[in-house]
Amino acid sequence: MTDLVLLGHGGGGELTRRLIADHILPRFANPALDPLTDGAVLANPGGRLCVTTDASVVTPLNFPGGCIGRLAVCGTVNDLAVMGARPLALTLSLIIEEGLPFAELDRQLDAAAAAAREAGVPIVTGDTKVVERRRGDGLLISTAGVGVLADGVELSPRRVRAGDAVLVSGRIAEHGLAVMACREGLAFKTPVVSDVAPVLRLCAALLTLGAELRFMRDPTRGGIAGVAADLAEDGAVGVELDERAIPISPACRHAAELLGLDPLAVANEGKLVAVVAGAAAERALALLRADPLGRDAAIIGRITAATPPLAELKTTAGGRRIVQRPHGEELPRIC
Amino acid sequence: MTDLVLLGHGGGGELTRRLIADHILPRFANPALDPLTDGAVLANPGGRLCVTTDASVVTPLNFPGGCIGRLAVCGTVNDLAVMGARPLALTLSLIIEEGLPFAELDRQLDAAAAAAREAGVPIVTGDTKVVERRRGDGLLISTAGVGVLADGVELSPRRVRAGDAVLVSGRIAEHGLAVMACREGLAFKTPVVSDVAPVLRLCAALLTLGAELRFMRDPTRGGIAGVAADLAEDGAVGVELDERAIPISPACRHAAELLGLDPLAVANEGKLVAVVAGAAAERALALLRADPLGRDAAIIGRITAATPPLAELKTTAGGRRIVQRPHGEELPRIC
């Protein structure tokens, strides 16, 4: 067996079968993953089904705090979790560049398997294709997830109303800045490390608030700014954020300045933004802070009845500025 | 709005939102596809859940008889269908190369939407990422599908037994040869055209045979040879195919010779291979032939108790040869 992935490994013949048998099945064997069928069969626990998908095209494949394998799994787990769903299963679709060392593929598969175990969600089926060598980025991963939504769970921007509180589960901008710093070859005295992690436990904690929990979102591409802008537009409400309340590490603040980026617009991969009834704000904060992943959680703003609906930031300097979705070119291939 | 997809369209900001609003939502709007959440919510009809995923990396994007958008949808619908499942929903994960004209993206999205309608399976959620321009292949698509399996449906190589009959639903090798011919710039007097299509109706017809239907598979990468070899190995049975019985068009036979390919090893994207009880062979054939997609269906072989378990071909010349999985390098990026 060669030590590099070859085009033939994607041909669907003997080489593909060996790749699956030697590299994939040993890591992901579970009752649902039956290599003899075209997919996986799962028990059905009832409840509305949630389906989501995500592609991971991050480059480089490995960055401080994580890698594409971990990112792919956490991203889809988190998408289901912030919908209020209990994830049942994940799929893993690999597009490998010819020339990727098998050692690298194995490392990413190990990371994906470990993230799935950490989240308690099995990867039940997958697919492997190989494309010609190009830039040597090596690997693209698409994941899909299926989950179930319990009766009565209705999280949506439409449920948000004036007087509600906006919370974030911890320090912002870590993932995007870690990847950008790594890409630019920047090293900081205090390293900037991706926060990539499953936020399932945090979501489960907030769901105990029942109807007082209005909305959750994971602030990935587009960051906090993107979530706030979407919330204002989709919920037809005003969103007022307090810059002094938004948690960010000194290292990230410094890295963002150096890279010329607005931390509010930088991707997070192990955080959630939640909107809860005003009266539940302190309880929500306590629930988040009770979890290690939520130790730096903070109430960062409130919902208003402002028209036209806008997201605004009360700045540290004492002014106000509109929070917009970033345009898009600033952070390519972060996720 | 530019006429080319830019890196910024994958940034998760304003450009991404516009791409989704202008190009994706108008084509795929349906009750489950709620742009305000991270995924889609579906009613749960009960029954075991089936999950499958597939990536489409075919190049060129457009080929006689189809294109990547159609291929991606049909591939996943067919994977669920041959498991005996009723498909509920599909996901669509797009990885676009910077520089792809929006007109091309729209064409592929139209094709995907049309294939989904043809199959009667909605695309309920998706994701869009953009990567740097490379070879100009332009587009990679990963799809995942969720379906439900009715009680009592158990299709598996393990159910196959000596005396069973092997059928194929129509003429073989059309998809792979169409793509290869297109790639090599070959044009035939009678064009070779991909068979890419959803085989749901054919599967539903065969499922009426109840327990007499043992196994189904869509012979994509690896072709009929791959399915036969897998069947022999996974079912621990002998598979004996009759070359004279295997339907293939004269144009495909000619194209395969010219390209130096074994038609048995070439991908099909609108066909199924089925194993049924020997006594049900003629009824199965009639069920397939009653459908336009199955008009050239044929009984192409039988299952034996041969040991060691092998797939063999009785050749037109009167000899016998072992049918092996193709190694893998012959047909890159066909699917």
Side-chain angles (χ1 to χ4, degrees), chain A residues 7-18 34-57 59 79 82-83 88-89 91-95 97 124-132 134-135 137 140 142 144 146 148-149 155-158 215-218 221-222 230 233-234 325-329 331-333 335, chain B residues 7-18 34-57 59 79 82-83 88-89 91-95 97 124-132 134-135 137 140 142 144 146 148-149 155-158 215-218 221-222 230 233-234 325-329 331-333 335:
Chain A
L7 257 189
H9 284 109
E14 189 58 38
L15 289 175
T16 301
R17 191 142 161 127
R18 271 190 243 159
D34 185 344
L36 308 185
T37 72
D38 285 285
V41 182
L42 319 167
N44 185 343
R48 289 163 295 162
L49 295 173
C50 287
V51 188
T52 189
T53 190
D54 211 10
S56 291
V57 302
T59 177
D79 278 346
V82 296
M83 291 177 74
L88 287 180
T91 71
L92 198 72
S93 168
L94 307 171
I95 298 174
E97 249 184 55
V124 297
T125 191
D127 184 66
T128 305
K129 296 292 198 299
V130 183
V131 296
E132 294 87 346
R134 302 170 192 192
R135 280 180 23 141
D137 296 87
L140 304 168
S142 273
V146 184
V148 288
L149 209 50
L155 302 174
S156 164
R158 293 190 209 92
F215 167 85
M216 291 190 290
R217 176 115 346 133
D218 52 338
R221 287 184 296 172
D230 285 352
E233 183 172 327
D234 299 336
R325 248 170 245 116
H327 201 233
E329 309 85 358
L331 292 144
R333 301 198 62 181
C335 303
Chain B
L7 257 188
H9 284 109
E14 189 57 39
L15 290 175
T16 301
R17 190 141 162 128
R18 272 191 243 159
D34 185 344
L36 307 186
T37 72
D38 285 283
V41 182
L42 319 166
N44 185 343
R48 290 162 295 163
L49 295 174
C50 286
V51 189
T52 188
T53 190
D54 212 11
S56 291
V57 302
T59 178
D79 278 346
V82 297
M83 291 178 72
L88 287 180
T91 70
L92 198 71
S93 167
L94 309 172
I95 298 173
E97 251 184 53
V124 296
T125 192
D127 183 67
T128 304
K129 295 292 198 300
V130 182
V131 295
E132 294 88 346
R134 301 168 188 192
R135 281 183 19 145
D137 297 87
L140 304 167
S142 273
V146 184
V148 287
L149 209 52
L155 303 174
S156 165
R158 294 189 207 93
F215 167 84
M216 290 191 290
R217 177 116 345 133
D218 52 338
R221 287 184 296 170
D230 286 352
E233 183 171 327
D234 300 335
R325 246 169 248 118
H327 201 234
E329 309 86 357
L331 291 145
R333 300 199 60 181
C335 303

Side-chain angles (χ1 to χ4, degrees), chain A residues 94-262:
Chain A
L94 307 171
I95 298 174
I96 309 171
E97 249 184 55
E98 184 177 38
L100 182 77
F102 267 108
E104 184 60 43
L105 177 65
D106 288 345
R107 179 187 337 194
Q108 299 304 335
L109 293 176
D110 282 337
R117 275 193 305 273
E118 185 179 334
V121 188
I123 293 167
V124 297
T125 191
D127 184 66
T128 305
K129 296 292 198 299
V130 183
V131 296
E132 294 87 346
R133 182 181 172 80
R134 302 170 192 192
R135 280 180 23 141
D137 296 87
L139 184 61
L140 304 168
I141 303 180
S142 273
T143 40
V146 184
V148 288
L149 209 50
D151 290 338
V153 176
E154 298 286 350
L155 302 174
S156 164
R158 293 190 209 92
R159 289 200 49 237
V160 160
R161 59 191 89 149
D164 286 349
V166 183
L167 292 88
V168 70
S169 61
R171 296 174 162 192
I172 70 168
E174 295 176 339
H175 174 75
L177 289 173
V179 174
M180 287 300 289
C182 181
R183 223 186 269 171
E184 301 294 316
L186 294 171
F188 300 102
K189 207 163 75 170
T190 310
V192 172
V193 169
S194 170
D195 61 340
V196 56
V199 298
L200 256 178
R201 284 194 322 259
L202 298 179
C203 295
L206 292 181
L207 281 165
T208 63
L209 295 172
E212 288 181 301
L213 176 65
R214 316 289 200 209
F215 167 85
M216 291 190 290
R217 176 115 346 133
D218 52 338
T220 58
R221 287 184 296 172
I224 300 289
V227 176
D230 285 352
L231 196 49
E233 183 172 327
D234 299 336
V237 291
V239 179
E240 192 183 87
L241 303 180
D242 184 353
E243 191 171 31
R244 289 162 308 170
I246 297 174
I248 181 169
S249 71
C252 280
R253 200 189 301 274
H254 176 57
E257 274 179 39
L258 216 73
L259 291 161
L261 298 168
D262 174 5

Side-chain angles (χ1 to χ4, degrees), chain B residues 166 238-242 300-304 310-314 320:
Chain B
V166 183
V239 180
E240 190 183 87
L241 303 179
D242 183 353
I300 62 168
R302 61 198 193 105
I303 304 297
T304 70
L310 275 177
E312 283 191 303
L313 183 76
K314 292 193 314 189
R320 298 176 82 90

